[in-house]
Amino acid sequence: MSPDERWFPSHLREMDQAECLDLLAEHQVGRVAYCDDRGPVVFPVNYVVDQDTILIQISPHSNLAGRLRGAPASFELDEFDAYTETGWSVLVRGRASYVEHGDLPPDENRPHAWAEGQRTLHVRITPDDISGRRLLPA
Amino acid sequence: MSPDERWFPSHLREMDQAECLDLLAEHQVGRVAYCDDRGPVVFPVNYVVDQDTILIQISPHSNLAGRLRGAPASFELDEFDAYTETGWSVLVRGRASYVEHGDLPPDENRPHAWAEGQRTLHVRITPDDISGRRLLPA
């Protein structure tokens, strides 16, 4: 099915927060975003959902670490299918803060980083709001 | 292969601009990001690469449209595989501007929006820099 063979575009439907949290809980990689002097920056990261917040694990010496200390941050997750031209996306807007060791979940519930590097700093994105949309078949 | 069975994390390798542009040219959906008063916002969009810029098509009445008129903006693209814990990502940082009708490529080279809605406004993200990384098998 090529774009030219489609007569009807896909429909957009808003998701409620519970549906967004379910999708967040089922995945392992999303995108963290912050703003610097030149504008927005977006990077993929491994994450887990911990107490309805997004928990990520990064290098304490990274640019990311410098930008995520008590600052506005967002987290985006999505999935699309080019054949059916459908999918969904979730956006968590909130604030990032460093996590003290005592506030971390048990080892088995912490994020597992795929990439090499000393990722000893845990950062939590606490949502101000969570929104999402599904792109459904026409 | 579960995370516990992996002894070695995946390696990170920087990509050059040509490799990033090749990946951008091969895909149809990425994520546009901008900053508002509350921080970063990230949304999936259909896009095409046109003259080494990112061209998207949005509703002139959307929040996105209001934020992408001569403003800093980024575009992110990635692909990951949870089984091998590998993948890649590209980040385009630049500036968004509205495109006049006369500056658009021919119809067949314009972005094709999967979602319903009147997307009559074309926006171009002109890169200041393009960077990317691959996460390779250990």
Side-chain angles (χ1 to χ4, degrees), chain A residues 20-69:
Chain A
C20 293
L21 283 169
D22 282 349
L23 287 165
L24 288 166
E26 288 164 9
H27 291 78
Q28 297 174 269
V29 189
R31 296 149 202 103
V32 65
Y34 62 86
C35 296
D36 69 15
D37 303 339
R38 291 171 49 212
V41 180
V42 186
F43 276 120
V45 286
N46 292 107
Y47 75 100
V48 295
V49 175
D50 177 49
Q51 304 172 59
D52 289 356
T53 70
I54 303 294
L55 186 62
I56 66 174
Q57 188 184 14
I58 61 178
S59 162
H61 310 297
S62 59
N63 283 335
L64 203 53
R67 292 289 172 178
L68 295 183
R69 181 165 212 161

Side-chain angles (χ1 to χ4, degrees), chain A residues 72-134:
Chain A
S74 295
F75 185 81
E76 196 264 358
L77 183 68
D78 63 40
E79 209 166 79
F80 290 94
D81 178 66
Y83 185 80
T84 56
E85 302 191 350
T86 59
W88 54 266
S89 68
V90 170
L91 179 64
V92 175
R93 302 195 68 181
R95 205 167 175 82
S97 54
Y98 289 6
V99 184
E100 300 289 330
H101 196 79
D103 294 331
L104 285 173
D107 265 348
E108 63 273 20
N109 297 338
R110 295 181 195 171
H112 159 68
W114 294 351
E116 62 196 345
Q118 291 294 318
R119 289 160 207 278
T120 54
L121 177 64
H122 285 83
V123 171
R124 195 185 293 284
I125 300 174
T126 303
D128 289 326
D129 61 63
I130 301 177
S131 60
R133 304 195 296 176
R134 282 191 188 276

Side-chain angles (χ1 to χ4, degrees), chain A residues 3 10-12 28 31 33 35-36 38-41 44 72 74 76 78 80 82 85 89 93 112 114-116 129 135, chain B residues 3 10-12 28 31 33 35-36 38-41 44 72 74 76 78 80 82 85 89 93 112 114-116 129 135:
Chain A
S10 298
H11 296 301
L12 283 170
Q28 297 174 269
R31 296 149 202 103
C35 296
D36 69 15
R38 291 171 49 212
V41 180
S74 295
E76 196 264 358
D78 63 40
F80 290 94
E85 302 191 350
S89 68
R93 302 195 68 181
H112 159 68
W114 294 351
E116 62 196 345
D129 61 63
L135 190 56
Chain B
S10 298
H11 297 300
L12 284 169
Q28 297 175 268
R31 295 147 204 106
C35 296
D36 69 14
R38 294 170 48 212
V41 180
S74 295
E76 195 264 358
D78 62 42
F80 290 95
E85 304 192 346
S89 68
R93 302 195 68 180
H112 158 67
W114 294 351
E116 62 195 347
D129 63 63
L135 189 56

